[in-house]
Amino acid sequence: MSRTPLIAGNWKMNTTIEEAVSLIKTMQPGLEKLRGVEKVICPPFISLMAARAIIGGSTVKLGAQNVFYEEKGAFTGEVSPAMLAGLCDYVIIGHSERRQYFGETNEIIEKKIKAAVKVGLRPIFCVGETLEENEAGQTKEVLGRQLLASADRFYFLGGCVIAYEPVWAIGTGKSASGDDANKTIGFIRQFISKRHGNGIANTVRILYGGSVNAANIAEYMRKSDIDGALVGGASLRADEFLSIVKQASDIKGV
Ligand code: PEP
């Protein structure tokens, strides 16, 4: 079963509007030439409009880094799904930094996935274990809990993408080995298969995230169950991000 690989760049809280515009203008021509892989950039909210104007209807897709689950109202500082619909294609939901610093629970994340899918946004739903959980041998249990609580009814809707991001690998330079990442992603696929059948499990794209860069992307892309990457720090450097997408396209492009 062929799944179109996907490489998404999570810019986190980096770049002013001016810097974001400059970075997108630098990347856009190179990204546009790379085919067979879905390319997604996720700049900060404030730069989404400018990003959309530059990428227009090109093959580069746009993602938001977060969304609130209510439709509208007195929720100062929040951004609703309807505000992003039409502007973005994807939205990152459940990133470990949202869980860790902003108190997002599995239940909140479920509401966000449901609200995003309802307006046609495709969630990039993040799951992953902490270092303590990993060392205690609880990875599968934690992932199972996150999948069940937040996405049991939704991941097969609207082209939802899952990103396996071990928390200890995010922004640390300590990436999981290709074998370990593939094994854990294989477990996620099996988990989905048991609950929803092979058809869905073989269709859903599951990415690896955690200190991915141009030097290690090939190791992940060569693995059977890994369909791409969610890239943080390395997505802020045009050459590095282009190299990551190019290698993904060369190895697994459809
Ligand atoms: C991320 O932000 O999802 C991420 C994986 O970050 P980094 O690539 O910097 O580890």
Side-chain angles (χ1 to χ4, degrees):
M1 159 98 39
S2 112
R3 298 179 291 267
T4 304
L6 188 153
I7 302 289
N10 173 16
W11 294 12
K12 311 196 189 197
M13 197 176 72
N14 293 295
T15 67
T16 60
I17 298 176
E18 215 174 36
E19 288 163 347
V21 164
S22 159
L23 186 53
I24 299 165
K25 282 187 175 163
T26 309
M27 285 180 183
Q28 161 82 1
L31 285 176
E32 195 52 30
K33 282 187 208 136
L34 296 169
R35 298 299 162 107
V37 51
E38 221 177 336
K39 305 146 284 190
V40 184
I41 54 168
C42 306
F45 279 135
I46 191 137
S47 297
L48 288 172
M49 288 279 288
R52 172 53 68 204
I54 300 166
I55 63 175
S58 78
T59 59
V60 181
K61 306 262 173 71
L62 194 59
Q65 298 174 20
N66 185 26
V67 65
F68 193 48
Y69 51 76
E70 292 289 351
E71 280 178 26
K72 59 173 149 178
F75 302 101
T76 303
E78 290 295 334
V79 173
S80 78
M83 292 173 190
L84 296 176
L87 178 63
C88 293
D89 308 284
Y90 287 91
V91 57
I92 298 171
I93 297 179
H95 193 282
S96 69
E97 287 153 15
R98 300 288 323 166
R99 295 178 191 258
Q100 190 180 348
Y101 304 129
F102 303 97
E104 289 197 10
T105 61
N106 287 332
E107 291 68 34
I108 290 173
I109 292 162
E110 182 187 36
K111 286 190 193 177
K112 290 187 171 194
I113 293 174
K114 187 177 180 187
V117 168
K118 199 169 157 196
V119 299
L121 290 166
R122 295 172 162 212
I124 299 176
F125 166 48
C126 304
V127 294
E129 83 286 1
T130 63
L131 184 61
E132 296 72 45
E133 290 162 343
N134 182 286
E135 286 176 348
Q138 295 167 345
T139 299
K140 289 182 180 174
E141 187 191 323
V142 171
L143 295 177
R145 205 162 49 229
Q146 290 173 340
L147 288 163
L148 270 185
S150 303
D152 203 39
R153 290 175 292 155
F154 307 123
Y155 47 68
F156 50 91
L157 295 174
C160 186
V161 173
I162 296 174
Y164 167 58
E165 298 208 306
V167 178
W168 47 269
I170 299 178
T172 60
K174 271 199 264 162
S175 50
S177 73
D179 281 339
D180 285 349
N182 194 50
K183 233 181 265 168
T184 307
I185 288 176
F187 161 77
I188 294 172
R189 209 176 288 290
Q190 265 173 23
F191 190 92
I192 294 169
S193 171
K194 275 190 201 138
R195 298 197 58 82
H196 297 282
N198 268 336
I200 289 164
N202 288 335
T203 311
V204 69
R205 287 176 295 177
I206 311 180
L207 317 179
Y208 167 74
S211 298
V212 170
N213 56 41
N216 62 21
I217 183 67
E219 184 185 349
Y220 301 112
M221 293 312 299
R222 289 199 186 100
K223 300 294 175 191
S224 57
D225 271 308
I226 303 181
D227 301 317
L230 180 55
V231 185
S235 69
L236 288 163
R237 297 186 294 276
D239 285 355
E240 180 109 11
F241 192 62
L242 282 167
S243 170
I244 291 170
V245 175
K246 178 166 187 339
Q247 292 179 64
S249 166
D250 288 347
I251 294 169
K252 255 192 192 159
V254 292

